[in-house]
Amino acid sequence: MRKENLYKKNLSNKQPTKDITLDDIKYKLPKSTSKKEIIVKITDKITFSKKNLPIIAGPNGVESRKLIFNVAKFLKKVGVKIIRGHAYKPLTFPYRSKQYKESMDIGMDHMDEVKKHFGLKVVTEVTEIRHLDRINQTADILQIGSRNMQNLELLREIALLQKPIILQRHFGASLRDLLGAAEHILVEGNDKLILCERGVAAPHTHKETSRFMLDIQAIVALKEITKFPIISDPSHASFWAPWVKPLALASVAAGCDGLIIEMHPNPKKSAVDPLQPLNFKEFQDTIQSIKNTARLFNKKLI
């Protein structure tokens, strides 16, 4: 049940626009633009806030038990506390290679083992309501991918679980669209919300393999408008591993409150998007650079 009456006496559409107006802030985006700073607590030692910079890392998909254990062991060693891996993975096209198949419930079982053996917190994507019960058994943070940003029924069902949520901005969405989607979560009484910039479609991305462009300006703009944590995903935005570190550092400088970084023990053999994951050595080097940069902005890497 919704906690409030959603009727707004003065609601109008006098200024229909792609950008956020004062009318939007007052009547349409009252919760997402509240001046109260939101701290999203995962554990006593892991919080998303203006003082911290949590790293979320892992492969795109939970390809196998061996792979995810290998990654988890490495992340534990380098001090990363949150692992990501998607067992239910939508792709741009419906076709699958022999190399890739969704691990689904078996993949979630592997993530259960990772939590038990390594004490890592788990982020995984929810693609459909029918998978929600199984994912909820394992995930500590529920991710709503860019394609589902405006799947309003899915947003509502996930919000009702009262777990932390990462809401990724769609690659064609304005910040007005993003915060509008956020309101659908917030009106259900769940303010454990983390907003994620993961790249936008652009006429030029400066690389033939890059589908999107990381919108650094969106991080700055969101920090001005909302007090919810903002994280950045330079891996999916650039689709090119050599650009991940500089874009991650730029995101930190812009004020982001966390990063999602894709990594894989052997990126060339990654079942999905082999051009964007960092290998273990590259990841460790990137983390050290992020740590050094975070200090300049009084943020603590966790």
Side-chain angles (χ1 to χ4, degrees):
M1 293 291 292
R2 295 188 175 182
K3 304 291 191 296
E4 61 183 276
N5 183 352
L6 300 182
Y7 173 72
K8 301 288 183 181
K9 183 178 179 180
N10 297 313
L11 191 64
S12 72
N13 198 32
K14 292 178 181 178
Q15 295 175 301
T17 175
K18 61 183 177 62
D19 293 318
I20 295 168
T21 66
L22 292 176
D23 180 71
D24 291 331
I25 291 172
K26 189 173 182 180
Y27 297 114
K28 299 168 188 169
L29 305 172
K31 295 183 179 298
S32 57
T33 60
S34 168
K35 295 186 182 301
K36 177 186 175 184
E37 183 190 355
I38 301 296
I39 296 174
V40 178
K41 180 179 177 180
I42 310 305
T43 69
D44 288 340
K45 295 183 178 181
I46 306 173
T47 57
F48 288 82
S49 71
K50 64 181 181 181
K51 294 182 179 179
N52 295 325
L53 192 74
I55 302 295
I56 300 168
N60 200 325
V62 184
E63 298 172 23
S64 68
R65 183 182 185 276
K66 180 180 179 180
L67 170 82
I68 205 67
F69 263 66
N70 190 3
V71 170
K73 183 178 180 180
F74 174 77
L75 292 179
K76 182 77 172 180
K77 178 182 175 182
V78 299
V80 173
K81 297 177 175 61
I82 309 175
I83 188 171
R84 77 87 178 258
H86 306 315
Y88 309 89
K89 180 63 187 169
L91 298 179
T92 303
F93 304 105
Y95 313 109
R96 299 291 192 270
S97 68
K98 291 181 179 180
Q99 188 180 2
Y100 176 75
K101 62 179 181 180
E102 291 177 290
S103 54
M104 304 186 79
D105 289 1
I106 294 173
M108 295 312 301
D109 292 343
H110 296 334
M111 297 304 274
D112 278 330
E113 291 187 78
V114 161
K115 289 183 68 172
K116 179 180 178 181
H117 285 277
F118 300 102
L120 300 176
K121 297 303 175 183
V122 168
V123 173
T124 198
E125 183 174 347
V126 184
T127 56
E128 300 177 61
I129 291 174
R130 64 187 173 127
H131 301 315
L132 190 52
D133 286 344
R134 176 62 191 92
I135 292 172
N136 188 42
Q137 294 172 30
T138 303
D140 300 286
I141 305 173
L142 301 166
Q143 178 177 311
I144 299 168
S146 62
R147 292 173 179 84
N148 272 318
M149 188 198 83
Q150 290 183 315
N151 184 338
L152 304 183
E153 186 64 26
L154 182 62
L155 299 187
R156 179 177 182 275
E157 292 300 317
I158 293 175
L160 291 172
L161 295 175
Q162 295 299 316
K163 276 190 172 180
I165 297 169
I166 293 174
L167 177 63
Q168 290 196 320
R169 178 189 178 195
H170 185 272
F171 43 82
S174 67
L175 299 189
R176 188 176 190 257
D177 296 330
L178 174 63
L179 295 186
E183 290 286 324
H184 282 273
I185 294 169
L186 299 173
V187 296
E188 302 299 341
N190 186 345
D191 65 355
K192 305 178 187 75
L193 179 63
I194 301 161
L195 303 172
C196 180
E197 164 56 34
R198 53 87 71 205
V200 294
H204 307 286
T205 59
H206 318 306
K207 185 76 178 176
E208 68 273 14
T209 55
S210 295
R211 291 181 293 178
F212 308 114
M213 179 180 289
L214 187 65
D215 190 354
I216 296 291
Q217 188 165 313
I219 298 171
V220 180
L222 283 167
K223 297 294 287 187
E224 188 176 85
I225 297 167
T226 182
K227 299 301 181 183
F228 285 86
I230 315 297
I231 66 174
S232 174
D233 181 350
S235 299
H236 272 90
S238 66
F239 207 69
W240 185 239
W243 289 2
V244 170
K245 182 168 84 168
L247 290 174
L249 300 182
S251 297
V252 175
C256 79
D257 305 305
L259 291 160
I260 301 177
I261 298 178
E262 187 168 329
M263 43 88 72
H264 193 284
N266 189 347
K268 289 182 179 180
K269 291 187 177 181
S270 175
V272 183
D273 300 338
L275 298 178
Q276 68 195 35
L278 303 181
N279 62 36
F280 284 3
K281 184 177 183 301
E282 291 167 337
F283 179 80
Q284 196 161 9
D285 174 67
T286 297
I287 290 299
Q288 185 57 53
S289 295
I290 292 170
K291 187 175 183 179
N292 294 339
T293 303
R295 285 198 198 104
L296 299 175
F297 296 92
N298 300 313
K299 279 186 172 282
K300 181 182 178 183
L301 194 71
I302 58 173

